[in-house]
Amino acid sequence: MNTGQGWEKRALHALVLLLAVAYGIRWAYELLLPVVPFVIGGLIVAGLVYAVLAIRQRRRW
């Protein structure tokens, strides 16, 4: 009677799941890496526009 087989099967499934998650994270990282500068630039532009509109609104009051 082999009692270690169930444990080994669960460990193997956990390892496969861990590798699949790591592969998915790496795929997402490589996919999104070229987009990061555009996102940062967009956030900077949005911040500047918000600041300009806030300053204009204060001058009206």
Side-chain angles (χ1 to χ4, degrees), residues 28-45:
Y29 172 76
E30 289 180 1
L31 183 68
L32 295 176
L33 188 63
V35 181
V36 170
F38 297 104
V39 171
I40 293 172
L43 289 174
I44 291 172
V45 169

Side-chain angles (χ1 to χ4, degrees), residues 4-14:
Q5 191 173 10
W7 180 85
E8 291 171 355
K9 194 178 223 183
R10 285 195 308 268
L12 182 61
H13 285 157

Side-chain angles (χ1 to χ4, degrees), residues 1-58:
M1 188 165 92
N2 190 1
T3 58
Q5 191 173 10
W7 180 85
E8 291 171 355
K9 194 178 223 183
R10 285 195 308 268
L12 182 61
H13 285 157
L15 181 61
V16 169
L17 181 63
L18 184 65
L19 290 174
V21 169
Y23 181 74
I25 290 172
R26 178 171 174 139
W27 177 79
Y29 172 76
E30 289 180 1
L31 183 68
L32 295 176
L33 188 63
V35 181
V36 170
F38 297 104
V39 171
I40 293 172
L43 289 174
I44 291 172
V45 169
L48 289 174
V49 168
Y50 177 77
V52 167
L53 291 177
I55 291 170
R56 288 178 118 192
Q57 189 174 8
R58 280 190 203 159

